[in-house]
Amino acid sequence: MTFGEKLEKAVGAHGPLCVGIDPHPSLLDAWGLSRTAEGLERFALTAVEAFGGKVSMVKPQAAFFEAHGSRGVAVLERVIAELRDSGTLVLVDAKRGDIGSTMAAYAQAYLGDGSPLAGDAVTVSPFLGFGSLQPALDTARETGRGVFVLALTSNPEGAQVQRAVAPDGRTAAQTIIDFAAARNSGISPCGDVGLVVGATIGETDVDLGGFNGPILAPGFGAQGGSVADLKRLFGPDMRNVFPASSRDVLKHGPDVSSLVRAVRSVQDSL
């Protein structure tokens, strides 16, 4: 199956919600867990039990696992494997971006068949030039996986680069969107190159009309993004928009049934 076909099947079964697994130290504290690799593992596997097979996509944040060194990365590998075994799509939120052979190595790590860190998609940064992503784009297409490219993020500093205007009059964000749209052209049901557009950015000031790919909209829930924001930003046709919620769901742990109820509540709101 292509990545677009996998997304279509997942959304048909569970709706568009993407739930994050963010083992932030403050959440470990709130769950009564230690800030150790053991606490990380218990947190992450509890989330897997709650979310696996119940949502279309889960987004583990790689940084919080990497912070625990090799033991944390081993937990991330287990999270990816168990979620995929449950039939849930895994978007590894690693935001990788580099050039040449280094980007090719990142592509193999997060998108290559047989890699323990390869989910179904990975987030990438295009700010060394969209062309620098070519190894990841090619590997994703070859293996039936996807990439989500940072376009308009919700952090205030992002505007310094993302809204900068090029000589042709387009913003950097619009240039990224146009490159991604060209890569997805003609693919059905949608392309394998997605975008990351924050749900809390206010106004997009970009043209997303006709973009034939998935859009990840982080910031939904605890960070202030609402259904009304999603409709305003992306219009009434949001078939390929995936609102992402992490803390708004994870705050209900560590009880698995409470986490499941929180997921159901967000799904109903969407």
Side-chain angles (χ1 to χ4, degrees):
M1 298 175 68
T2 67
F3 184 61
E5 290 169 337
K6 293 176 185 178
L7 286 175
E8 185 177 57
K9 180 180 178 181
V11 172
H14 303 294
L17 177 64
C18 175
V19 181
I21 299 181
D22 293 12
H24 191 282
S26 64
L27 278 172
L28 294 178
D29 294 344
W31 282 29
L33 300 173
S34 62
R35 297 187 180 191
T36 62
E38 291 80 10
L40 169 81
E41 183 174 37
R42 186 170 174 188
F43 181 101
L45 296 183
T46 298
V48 169
E49 181 181 354
F51 307 149
K54 300 179 184 70
V55 297
S56 61
M57 188 157 53
V58 172
K59 181 175 69 66
Q61 169 50 257
F64 292 118
F65 295 86
E66 293 169 4
H68 294 269
S70 61
R71 295 180 67 186
V73 174
V75 174
L76 177 59
E77 292 175 358
R78 185 174 173 187
V79 165
I80 293 168
E82 293 195 10
L83 284 170
R84 299 195 79 202
D85 285 346
S86 76
T88 302
L89 296 179
V90 182
L91 168 57
V92 182
D93 194 359
K95 298 182 179 67
R96 295 300 192 251
D98 215 305
I99 58 173
S101 59
T102 309
M103 192 66 222
Y106 280 138
Q108 185 58 41
Y110 291 99
L111 298 164
D113 287 335
S115 169
L117 286 171
D120 297 281
V122 66
T123 55
V124 294
S125 173
F127 296 110
L128 288 174
F130 194 90
S132 67
L133 301 177
Q134 198 65 45
L137 303 178
D138 291 343
T139 303
R141 181 120 344 145
E142 291 166 4
T143 62
R145 292 179 168 89
V147 297
F148 283 80
V149 184
L150 301 179
L152 276 173
T153 58
S154 57
N155 62 306
E157 303 86 354
Q160 298 171 4
V161 174
Q162 296 159 18
R163 297 185 187 272
V165 179
D168 63 5
R170 293 181 297 170
T171 62
Q174 186 66 61
T175 302
I176 292 163
I177 292 167
D178 292 345
F179 274 122
R183 178 78 179 182
N184 291 335
S185 179
I187 300 177
S188 179
C190 75
D192 49 19
V193 181
L195 300 172
V196 179
V197 178
T200 59
I201 60 173
E203 299 298 331
T204 62
D205 297 325
V206 293
D207 180 13
L208 289 166
F211 176 69
N212 182 35
I215 298 175
L216 181 74
F220 182 76
Q223 295 180 40
S226 66
V227 172
D229 290 322
L230 296 174
K231 289 182 177 180
R232 177 175 50 79
L233 289 170
F234 305 113
D237 184 4
M238 296 192 294
R239 285 174 296 176
N240 292 329
V241 175
F242 291 81
S245 181
S246 299
R247 283 177 290 169
D248 210 37
V249 172
L250 293 169
K251 69 182 181 183
H252 295 278
D255 180 66
V256 171
S257 60
S258 296
L259 288 167
V260 173
R261 285 195 297 271
V263 165
R264 297 298 187 214
S265 177
V266 179
Q267 287 171 323
D268 289 344
S269 75
L270 292 169

